[in-house]
Amino acid sequence: MKKTLIFATSLLTISLMPTFQVSAQGYAPGAAVAAFSLKAADGKAVNLTDLATAKAVVVVFTNPFCPYTKLYEARLATLAKAGEALGVRYLFVNPAPGEKPTSAQQVAATGSPDKLAGFTVLADEGQVLTKAFGATKTPEAFVLQPSGGQFLLRYRGAIDDNPQVESDVREFYLREAVNMINAGQSVKTSEHRAAGCLIKTF
C-alpha cells in the first residue's frame, strides 16, 4: 500500500472557529484545537478534520536554518516513520518560511529549506498556526488526540531532554506522550519547556 504523508509546502489557510478561545500563550494542554486547513503546492486541500481516524496528530514547528533543528532532524525522521505504523500523523511546520540563511555555510548545511530528512515541511504563511498554538521555539512539538469529533492537545514542548547528544537522552517526552495515547493512557506530563531557536514573530 502506498504511504502518503500529509504535509504542505506553500499556502496555509487556517479557519479558527469562534467557540475556541486562544490565549497569547496558545492552547493549554487539554484544550480543543480549532480546525485548520492546509493547501499543498498541487492545490489539494488537507483538513485537520480529515485526520480524525489517526491515533494522534503531531505538529512540530521547525526551521531549517536553526541549529537545533539540525540536531533533531534524524530523531524527528525516526519518530515520524515509526508513527506511520502506529497510525500517528506528523505535520512539520516552518514558522518563518521567508527567512533566508545568513551565510554560505548555512546554505550548504541546510540544503533545501522545505525538506526535513526527506519529509516535506509546511510553510506557515503569516504565522497564523504558530500564533494559534503559541509556539515559541524550533523545534517544538504539539500532540493532538482525536476525540469525539475534536482534537485535544495532550502534550506540548520539548522532544526529549538532550538536544546536543542523542545518545545521552534519558527522557523521551514526545515519544512517551504518543505511546501513552496509543495505549489508551493519560499523558503523565503534558508540558516540558522546549529548548531551541526562538521563533521571530511578525
Side-chain angles (χ1 to χ4, degrees):
M1 180 176 69
K2 184 177 179 181
K3 296 180 180 179
T4 59
L5 297 175
I6 300 184
F7 301 105
T9 59
S10 57
L11 179 65
L12 170 65
T13 304
I14 300 183
S15 174
L16 294 178
M17 298 175 64
T19 56
F20 291 85
Q21 298 298 319
V22 182
S23 72
Q25 290 76 39
Y27 299 112
V33 173
F36 55 84
S37 178
L38 316 178
K39 185 174 287 187
D42 62 5
K44 182 179 179 180
V46 178
N47 302 307
L48 177 63
T49 51
D50 292 336
L51 304 180
T53 59
K55 284 281 189 174
V57 177
V58 182
V59 179
V60 182
F61 290 87
T62 182
N63 186 326
F65 305 133
C66 169
Y68 283 86
T69 291
K70 299 307 294 181
L71 289 169
Y72 273 111
E73 185 172 24
R75 280 176 264 185
L76 287 169
T78 298
L79 287 169
K81 289 174 182 176
E84 292 179 10
L86 299 173
V88 178
R89 310 305 294 270
Y90 277 72
L91 302 177
F92 294 101
V93 179
N94 182 354
E99 187 174 23
K100 303 298 181 184
T102 58
S103 68
Q105 287 82 4
Q106 279 188 303
V107 175
T110 58
S112 175
D114 61 350
K115 298 291 180 183
L116 176 73
F119 294 95
T120 303
V121 176
L122 162 70
D124 184 10
E125 302 291 351
Q127 297 188 324
V128 181
L129 192 63
T130 302
K131 293 172 183 177
F133 275 78
T136 61
K137 301 285 184 65
T138 56
E140 186 171 0
F142 295 77
V143 181
L144 314 181
Q145 181 182 24
S147 176
Q150 295 183 314
F151 289 80
L152 305 179
L153 179 63
R154 296 306 189 193
Y155 175 80
R156 59 177 292 166
I159 296 164
D160 57 43
D161 68 347
N162 198 318
Q164 287 80 13
V165 185
E166 182 178 1
S167 60
D168 288 344
V169 172
R170 295 295 178 267
E171 299 290 341
F172 300 86
Y173 306 131
L174 175 57
R175 188 181 73 184
E176 289 175 358
V178 170
N179 287 344
M180 287 178 182
I181 291 173
N182 272 321
Q185 302 172 354
S186 298
V187 177
K188 291 181 180 179
T189 304
S190 59
E191 188 168 3
H192 282 283
R193 184 176 179 180
C197 300
L198 186 66
I199 296 175
K200 299 176 184 178
T201 57
F202 52 83

